[in-house]
Amino acid sequence: GRSESSAMSFDSYGGRQGAYGVRDGDSEYIRLSQDVEKNLSQLNNNVSNLQKLVNQMGTARDDPTLQRQFIQLQQSIRAQILNTEKSLKQLNMIDGGNASEQSKRRQQQESLGRRLRGVMELFQQTCRTAMNKEKQSVAVDRERAASFREERRDPGHRGDFMAMQQVESNQEMIRQREEGMREIEATMMEVNDIFRDLSTIVHEQGAVLDNIESNMTSADTMVDTGRQQLIKASDYQKKARNKMCCLLVIVAVVAAILIIVLSTTLTK
């Protein structure tokens, strides 16, 4: 299922519980990362459905129901993008533990951020297409409404109920389309703000990641230096032991000679 794929995605970055044990923030990090994965999947599906609605704009299937569906789905996508960005920010604030683990988590967050930007770019493109279609449709509807008004001014024209209904219907469609265009403009401005926020997050993550990698390099250098010092110390200890053994042998030989000399002297 989706939860399994999310967990697998997290595991692939070293976030599995068994890899480093449970610490404060781990369960929250896993929950948030799975929420982002789930939101990204839903966003992809919703943007795909929005594209299908946009493809019907300007056709015979373009009616008030289609307009309402478009506005509702667009608002839902906007809310999902905001929630996903919020979760990404929260992920960025959770302590990742040691340097290696932090690096893996930053890489995962950058990957999620890139995927969110990809969905947002597709969403913006779809909104721009919808905006252009709506502008064309509004122009056509206004031209049609103006034509009906001109016909009604004609003394020889007999107004009928169907014509009046058509005029009212056109006016309602114009109103709904203009409302949709305002929603599109507001959404695109908000998405642009989110793009800037994401760029800031990615920049901060990159700086932190560089710092982590620098610390890891420094740590490796210190480990290598320490290892070399240990090797030198071990060599020094071996040489010191050898010297001590030589000294002990010399002392033992001198002591034996002294004992022999003293023994010989005393015997005489």
Side-chain angles (χ1 to χ4, degrees):
R2 187 65 208 172
S3 60
E4 292 180 359
S5 62
S6 300
M8 290 175 64
S9 175
F10 181 77
D11 289 348
S12 66
Y13 286 94
R16 194 167 44 242
Q17 175 179 325
Y20 51 80
V22 175
R23 294 187 316 275
D24 291 340
D26 281 359
S27 59
E28 180 65 6
Y29 185 91
I30 294 173
R31 184 190 68 78
L32 285 171
S33 63
Q34 290 178 346
D35 283 348
V36 172
E37 290 277 3
K38 181 180 178 181
N39 286 344
L40 287 172
S41 177
Q42 292 177 345
L43 277 170
N44 278 313
N45 290 334
N46 286 341
V47 171
S48 178
N49 290 331
L50 191 72
Q51 287 178 314
K52 294 176 182 177
L53 293 177
V54 172
N55 289 338
Q56 297 177 39
M57 288 181 173
T59 68
R61 303 182 66 178
D62 193 351
D63 58 17
T65 300
L66 180 70
Q67 294 295 317
R68 285 192 297 271
Q69 290 175 344
F70 174 82
I71 292 175
Q72 290 172 359
L73 186 54
Q74 180 189 244
Q75 291 173 343
S76 176
I77 291 173
R78 182 169 60 181
Q80 286 178 322
I81 289 175
L82 287 171
N83 288 335
T84 306
E85 184 212 14
K86 180 180 178 181
S87 295
L88 273 176
K89 285 182 176 179
Q90 290 174 337
L91 280 176
N92 190 44
M93 296 172 63
I94 296 178
D95 179 24
N98 59 47
S100 175
E101 191 178 316
Q102 288 183 47
S103 177
K104 291 176 181 178
R105 288 190 175 186
R106 296 300 176 189
Q107 290 175 25
Q108 183 195 24
Q109 291 166 32
E110 287 187 350
S111 175
L112 294 172
R114 284 192 297 271
R115 288 169 59 189
L116 177 57
R117 287 197 301 274
V119 175
M120 288 167 57
E121 287 171 358
L122 185 59
F123 178 51
Q124 278 192 318
Q125 180 182 346
T126 304
C127 287
R128 281 192 291 268
T129 301
M131 176 71 81
N132 292 333
K133 286 192 172 187
E134 290 293 74
K135 286 180 178 178
Q136 294 173 3
S137 296
V138 166
V140 171
D141 288 341
R142 283 177 176 167
E143 184 178 346
R144 185 179 294 120
S147 177
F148 278 126
R149 284 194 295 268
E150 287 296 326
E151 289 180 2
R152 292 184 63 191
R153 290 195 187 99
D154 185 357
H157 174 74
R158 286 188 176 182
D160 57 54
F161 181 72
M162 293 295 292
M164 289 292 295
Q165 279 192 325
Q166 186 65 42
V167 171
E168 292 177 359
S169 175
N170 284 343
Q171 292 295 336
E172 179 63 17
M173 282 297 293
I174 291 173
R175 188 193 64 78
Q176 288 191 356
R177 291 187 196 282
E178 289 177 339
E179 179 184 349
M181 289 165 65
R182 286 192 294 270
E183 284 286 337
I184 292 172
E185 288 176 350
T187 296
M188 292 182 69
M189 290 179 62
E190 195 165 21
V191 169
N192 284 333
D193 291 338
I194 296 173
F195 265 120
R196 285 192 288 270
D197 289 344
L198 280 177
S199 298
T200 301
I201 293 173
V202 171
H203 176 74
E204 291 175 352
Q205 288 175 345
V208 173
L209 188 59
D210 290 341
N211 186 43
I212 291 171
E213 291 175 346
S214 176
N215 290 338
M216 291 176 66
T217 301
S218 299
D220 291 340
T221 301
M222 292 177 63
V223 169
D224 290 338
T225 302
R227 188 183 298 112
Q228 293 174 3
Q229 293 295 330
L230 287 173
I231 293 173
K232 289 181 180 180
S234 178
D235 291 339
Y236 177 80
Q237 288 178 347
K238 288 180 181 178
K239 291 177 181 179
R241 283 197 295 269
N242 291 336
K243 289 180 180 180
M244 182 63 68
C245 289
C246 290
L247 288 173
L248 289 174
V249 170
I250 292 171
V251 169
V253 170
V254 170
I257 292 174
L258 289 174
I259 292 172
I260 293 173
V261 171
L262 290 172
S263 177
T264 303
T265 304
L266 292 173
T267 301
K268 292 180 179 181

